[in-house]
Every structure is written in structure tokens, then in C-alpha cells.
Amino acid sequence: MNFCDECGSMMKADDEKWVCGSCGYEELRDSATEQAMTTTQGQEGTTVVDMSDVDAAEVGPTVEQKCPDCDEVRTVRYEMKQIRSADESETRFFTCTECGKKWREDDH
């Protein structure tokens, strides 16, 4: 990925040059620089991970939290993911280890 020196927009590769779609600025491509770039090419597929033999206690961190279905404080597994824009806080996903109920919490 390359960014335009004139306007800062992302440029697209067009044969031997980079072309800015916003302002039309062009610059020659440099293969040595492009070798150092990280790409998503070849990363399209997903792999399913078999977790059936893993003990539930080994799957992620746990915390004591009130389960909405059990209506009691239970041990729950949690994970945090950034699902909104980068300036928003992460969303916490919980799974009750007793009943399997899943829910999420967002900061408002």
C-alpha cells in the first residue's frame, strides 16, 4: 500500500506506477520498497480450529460475573474485540460456563 505525497490518499498500483485516485498524482513503483510491504494476498482462506478436546478452563480468561440467564454470579469466559472504529472502546463478549449463555457489553 502506498499513500499519495500530494493529498495523503491511498494510491493504487497501475502497471509500473502508483496512481492516486483522488488527485491523479503518479509515481514510479519501486520493487525493493514493495518487497518490505505486508500484503493480504494469500490470506483469504480461513482455518477451522478443533477445540473439542480442549478443557473449558483452558479457553481464554475467566471472571466472576452475573449471568443474565442463571441470574446468579457465575464464572464466565470473556474476550475483548475491537468491532467499532478505533476511537471507540473494545466490546467485551461473555460466555457463562454453567449454561452457555452468550452476551456482550459496550461502554456507552
Side-chain angles (χ1 to χ4, degrees), residues 78-94 104-108:
Y78 71 92
E79 62 181 310
M80 299 175 75
K81 292 185 180 179
Q82 187 73 37
I83 60 171
R84 296 172 294 180
S85 62
D87 63 341
E88 300 284 337
S89 62
E90 293 178 309
T91 301
R92 293 171 299 281
F93 293 90
F94 297 97
R104 67 188 239 182
E105 274 185 5
D106 298 307
D107 288 336
H108 299 294

Side-chain angles (χ1 to χ4, degrees), residues 20-53:
C20 177
S22 297
C23 71
Y25 176 77
E26 296 180 0
E27 68 180 51
L28 292 176
R29 293 175 65 179
D30 177 17
S31 60
T33 303
E34 290 180 28
Q35 289 294 321
M37 292 181 182
T38 302
T39 70
T40 58
Q41 199 169 18
Q43 299 178 14
E44 293 85 14
T46 59
T47 304
V48 176
V49 177
D50 181 11
M51 299 293 285
S52 60
D53 292 335

Side-chain angles (χ1 to χ4, degrees), residues 4 6 11 14 17-20 23-28:
C4 180
E6 298 294 316
M11 299 177 81
D14 184 15
K17 58 188 170 189
W18 289 101
V19 179
C20 177
C23 71
Y25 176 77
E26 296 180 0
E27 68 180 51
L28 292 176

Side-chain angles (χ1 to χ4, degrees), residues 63-68 72-76 94 96 103 105:
V63 67
E64 299 296 312
Q65 182 91 0
K66 186 173 182 178
C67 172
E72 292 183 31
V73 174
R74 301 281 192 192
T75 300
V76 298
F94 297 97
C96 179
W103 72 98
E105 274 185 5

